[in-house]
Amino acid sequence: MKEVELIKNGKRVDGRLPEQMREIEMLVDVVTRANGSAKVRFGNTLIVASVYGPKELYPKYLQEPETGILRCRYAMAPFSTEERKTPGPDRRSIELSKVIRIALEPAIFLEDFPRAVVDVFVEVLQADGSTRVTGINAASLALACAGIPLRDLVSACSVGKINDTLVVDLNGKEDNFSQADMSFAMLPSKDEISLLQMDGLLTKDEIKRLIEIAKNACKKIYEMQKQALREKYKGE
Ligand code: ADP
């Protein structure tokens, strides 16, 4: 791919340092009809996740007698990108729905809800890179807000390599022109990784270093998630 200047005098296109995340905002309980919901903003990437359930799964033949089922749907609003996105599911949104489910599943005590389903909807209102990880952060908050029993919250971030520099939380432009990028999710208090996807080429040492950077970022995100939940119950 054509080399694009993404780092100039040590600063990234939006003025950040390599290991600096964008401004982050988190708010829970934003969709009143949902059992749990959250809005998460990483810079210009804005996502609302809502959770419905657990409820009995229909049609019945889809039920699992020993466990509950998690269903995730990732969708990008037509107005979320610079050029209008065609509404409706596409190959990418089907894949990202699955990726988000895989990242969340290890955190949920699904075995507590045999024959039931928990539905998670991740709606991208504005996309500027790292939407799947921002969606995972929002979904995890929404699950907690819905009172679904969790082993831990799931915290997620992206890391990557741009102009031979390792960076955290890639924005849209960085994502498009990166040499490599990685989507990372973990259960921070258990130190368990639930998602690690990579695109591009990295050395073994770079991968190790990026995992370290991602873990540090996830720990900060985890604290913000807990704070957002505390805000909800403050004064109740
Ligand atoms: P992620 O958002 O998880 O990083 P991708 O790597 O597939 O997933 O997408 C990177 C970025 O490219 C998105 O965050 C978004 O800003 C942009 N993008 C994705 N799909 C579209 C689309 N259909 N139209 C315009 N921009 C898009």
Side-chain angles (χ1 to χ4, degrees):
M1 190 184 282
K2 180 164 86 52
E3 181 92 359
V4 176
E5 196 176 39
L6 292 170
I7 298 202
K8 215 175 177 179
N9 304 324
K11 294 258 180 89
R12 294 157 67 177
V13 279
D14 51 13
R16 281 183 292 157
L17 295 170
E19 291 186 33
Q20 190 179 350
M21 284 185 283
R22 288 175 285 185
E23 190 183 70
I24 297 178
E25 200 185 346
M26 297 183 183
L27 189 66
V28 296
D29 226 0
V30 292
V31 180
T32 49
R33 226 175 277 148
N35 295 106
S37 59
K39 178 184 89 170
V40 174
R41 182 176 68 82
F42 275 42
N44 293 321
T45 292
L46 177 64
I47 297 195
V48 169
S50 47
V51 167
Y52 300 83
K55 58 194 175 189
E56 203 173 346
L57 177 58
Y58 291 103
K60 270 195 163 179
Y61 71 85
L62 291 175
Q63 292 182 357
E64 290 286 345
E66 304 292 340
T67 184
I69 284 174
L70 179 68
R71 272 194 308 213
C72 293
R73 195 197 73 167
Y74 166 101
M76 260 181 156
F79 51 81
S80 66
T81 50
E82 246 167 74
E83 271 195 37
R84 180 179 182 275
K85 188 215 163 274
T86 314
D90 48 28
R91 193 203 56 78
R92 179 176 170 275
S93 68
I94 293 166
E95 181 193 326
L96 293 204
S97 300
K98 182 181 175 188
V99 163
I100 292 171
R101 175 172 59 75
I102 287 170
L104 295 171
E105 257 169 358
I108 310 172
F109 285 100
L110 282 168
E111 58 274 26
D112 287 359
F113 311 106
R115 303 184 189 283
V117 63
V118 175
D119 274 316
V120 176
F121 295 90
V122 172
E123 304 289 333
V124 180
L125 300 182
Q126 208 166 262
D128 185 21
S130 310
T131 58
R132 82 193 67 189
V133 287
T134 311
I136 291 167
N137 290 322
S140 148
L141 271 178
L143 285 164
C145 179
I148 309 279
L150 299 175
R151 290 181 178 86
D152 198 359
L153 289 167
V154 182
S155 306
C157 70
S158 64
V159 284
K161 183 172 152 185
I162 54 176
N163 297 153
D164 295 321
T165 306
L166 301 183
V167 297
V168 70
D169 186 22
L170 282 73
N171 64 32
K173 190 168 181 196
E174 291 174 332
D175 196 301
N176 278 340
F177 298 104
S178 64
Q179 291 159 297
D181 66 271
M182 212 190 242
S183 297
F184 183 93
M186 70 182 298
L187 281 62
S189 72
K190 305 225 167 276
D191 201 27
E192 274 176 31
I193 296 171
S194 64
L195 178 72
L196 205 163
Q197 282 188 297
M198 194 182 108
D199 190 12
L201 290 176
L202 292 166
T203 66
K204 215 167 161 183
D205 281 342
E206 284 169 341
I207 292 177
K208 280 189 187 157
R209 179 73 193 119
L210 279 180
I211 291 177
E212 226 174 275
I213 295 173
K215 280 189 172 184
N216 279 334
C218 281
K219 278 183 194 139
K220 289 182 197 153
I221 293 164
Y222 186 51
E223 292 308 316
M224 289 182 217
Q225 287 172 305
K226 286 193 288 186
Q227 187 54 35
L229 286 166
R230 275 189 214 111
E231 284 294 318
K232 169 176 156 65
Y233 295 107
K234 203 168 70 179
E236 272 187 20

